[in-house]
Amino acid sequence: MTSLLFLTETPSLSARAPSPSLSLSLPPSLRFIMSASEIEDLRNLLRSHNDDLEKLKKAMSKIMANVYVGKDMSSLFPDIVLQVQVKESSIKRLIGMFTSQYGHLHPETALLCVNHLTKEVMHDPSEFQRGHALQALGSLNLPNLAEYIAPTIKHALTDSSPYVRRHAAGACAKVWGVNREVYEEHLLSRYLEELVGDFDMGVVAVALGVLEQTIPGYRITRERAMRLLKRIGEFTEWQIPQILECIDGKGLCSTEGEVLEVLHLIDAFLDDCSSAVVLHVIKLLEDIVNSVPSEQLRTQFVERVKGPMLFRVKHSSAEVAYWYCLEIPRVIVPMSTLANEHKTFYPAFYDPTYLKKEKSTDCDSALIPLL
């Protein structure tokens, strides 16, 4: 079964802000060329702010606005690196965005930026400053700098602040993406596995996401799975599918009593408002029930999931209803148990063609065995 994370309700692509990286993906012939005087004006703004944060913020905003429309700002990189010591978070975020776009063009200058950010991560008393510094470090997508960044991230993975540990776990994915040898050399995956047992649910979710990305088919141990299931209500609807994806349902339970215990822990999520959560819960329960040879458990499972699945077919959007129509014949066996609910599969006049076809197929599967 493919990943169901796309079923979570996300903002439309048109509503998202454009990424600065889009401007760099343009060929040089299509980028806007700024005159030397315009560049010099921006450089003077950076050098003459005299510790006036509002003035510096306005200058950085103007520079990033030029980056967004495709103008080449790479010549300002050395001047912007000099501003990395600023403590104001919004300015730091703008500097991090800029260095992530042009750092590969100035690797030696970027190393100066790494040295300062490393000191902040190690010694700054503010957890938010340490977190912002980690974000900036992780955004430097330079393979040659990964060996300098990895020890700092390893140190941050054991930080006392959950906020810092969360950003450190996310930075591990950046290191893995730019230089896998450094990632393996510093045993970052071992530190991430320790974070799976963290008391902060945000840290656990990020660590599992990185492990799932870096280790294909990653599954957590049974003891940790049961511990997470007991705290599953503390995760958000975006995190629950990710957590359930990392649990191996086939090896989770060996007796009917253990199956009933897991069912008691996640039964309420079958009525969750998120389609992704519901489908991941059904997938996990199906794997658990199939691993325990009990016809009674199988019957109880079908009776329990039948209602939520039919409700989604009737009241969800066309795309979600289509996915449930595909899953129902596989999960609910035999389909004749849905004979009294066959009206749910009657196509509506406003249904798209692909949904009408699938509903008709499911309706036939429910009624034909009774004819």
Side-chain angles (χ1 to χ4, degrees):
M1 185 176 182
T2 56
S3 177
L4 311 173
L5 291 176
F6 72 91
L7 288 172
T8 50
E9 290 76 10
T10 57
S12 63
L13 292 176
S14 60
R16 298 177 185 173
S19 170
S21 60
L22 295 178
S23 64
L24 294 181
S25 63
L26 295 172
S29 59
L30 297 181
R31 296 182 196 169
F32 295 98
I33 305 300
M34 294 194 70
S35 64
S37 61
E38 290 177 303
I39 294 290
E40 194 60 31
D41 289 341
L42 292 173
R43 181 176 286 110
N44 290 334
L45 282 175
L46 289 172
R47 293 177 177 178
S48 62
H49 61 84
N50 296 325
D51 296 330
D52 185 345
L53 296 182
E54 283 300 321
K55 192 174 181 180
L56 177 59
K57 185 176 180 179
K58 188 178 294 186
M60 285 301 307
S61 299
K62 187 177 294 187
I63 291 170
M64 290 308 301
N66 287 318
V67 173
Y68 268 100
V69 298
K71 295 181 180 179
D72 186 7
M73 299 279 106
S74 59
S75 59
L76 294 175
F77 189 87
D79 299 278
I80 288 180
V81 166
L82 295 177
Q83 314 300 328
V84 76
Q85 75 276 6
V86 175
K87 298 293 184 181
E88 214 279 321
S89 59
S90 59
I91 299 177
K92 267 190 174 299
R93 199 171 291 115
L94 291 171
I95 293 174
M97 292 168 60
F98 186 90
T99 54
S100 67
Q101 301 307 316
Y102 295 111
H104 65 284
L105 300 177
H106 303 270
E108 295 182 358
T109 309
L111 184 58
L112 300 176
C113 184
V114 169
N115 292 334
H116 180 81
L117 293 173
T118 298
K119 291 179 182 178
E120 282 198 4
V121 174
M122 296 290 190
H123 306 296
D124 199 293
S126 170
E127 62 177 312
F128 298 107
Q129 294 297 338
R130 299 199 300 273
H132 293 151
L134 278 169
Q135 279 185 305
L137 278 176
S139 65
L140 293 173
N141 300 319
L142 299 171
N144 295 335
L145 296 182
E147 58 181 322
Y148 303 104
I149 296 173
T152 306
I153 294 175
K154 185 192 294 187
H155 176 270
L157 288 171
T158 59
D159 194 278
S160 59
S161 168
Y163 180 80
V164 176
R165 294 199 300 275
R166 198 180 311 150
H167 283 296
C172 289
K174 303 290 184 67
V175 174
W176 180 82
V178 299
N179 196 323
R180 299 188 184 183
E181 293 182 0
V182 172
Y183 177 87
E184 295 172 358
E185 178 184 346
H186 288 270
L187 305 175
L188 293 180
S189 60
R190 184 178 300 177
Y191 284 82
L192 289 171
E193 288 181 354
E194 293 178 2
L195 289 184
V196 174
D198 197 276
F199 70 88
D200 185 84
M201 295 295 99
V203 175
V204 174
V206 175
L208 280 176
V210 176
L211 287 169
E212 192 176 11
Q213 176 185 345
T214 56
I215 305 175
Y218 175 77
R219 294 294 181 268
I220 58 179
T221 62
R222 182 185 180 280
E223 291 74 16
R224 283 182 173 172
M226 291 301 298
R227 196 178 302 122
L228 291 178
L229 287 176
K230 291 177 181 178
R231 303 179 62 188
I232 195 71
E234 300 177 32
F235 292 97
T236 67
E237 68 174 33
W238 306 92
Q239 296 168 349
I240 291 175
Q242 185 178 16
I243 302 301
L244 298 180
E245 189 81 21
C246 296
I247 296 177
D248 182 14
K250 296 179 180 179
L252 189 61
C253 302
S254 56
T255 65
E256 291 188 22
E258 293 176 348
V259 174
L260 294 175
E261 180 185 359
V262 173
L263 179 61
H264 175 72
L265 293 173
I266 61 177
D267 176 75
F269 292 96
L270 287 171
D271 301 317
D272 196 87
C273 61
S274 170
S275 299
V277 171
V278 175
L279 279 172
H280 275 84
V281 170
I282 291 173
K283 178 179 179 293
L284 178 63
L285 288 177
E286 183 185 20
D287 289 341
I288 292 172
V289 170
N290 290 338
S291 66
V292 179
S294 173
E295 193 62 34
Q296 182 182 2
L297 279 177
R298 179 71 192 181
T299 303
Q300 292 176 352
F301 165 72
V302 170
E303 287 298 320
R304 181 62 186 92
V305 303
K306 181 169 62 174
M309 297 188 83
L310 293 176
F311 179 84
R312 296 285 175 168
V313 171
K314 193 172 182 179
H315 298 286
S316 297
S317 63
E319 294 81 5
V320 174
Y322 175 73
W323 187 267
Y324 274 92
C325 286
L326 290 175
E327 290 297 298
I328 283 175
R330 187 185 62 79
V331 175
I332 301 178
V333 180
M335 279 288 286
S336 58
T337 58
L338 298 179
N340 294 332
E341 308 288 345
H342 66 278
K343 291 184 178 180
T344 304
F345 300 107
Y346 284 0
F349 74 95
Y350 51 80
D351 284 340
T353 304
Y354 63 86
L355 181 57
K356 289 180 179 179
K357 180 179 178 181
E358 199 59 41
K359 280 186 174 181
S360 300
T361 302
D362 288 353
C363 187
D364 292 342
S365 302
L367 290 177
I368 285 178
L370 301 181
L371 300 178

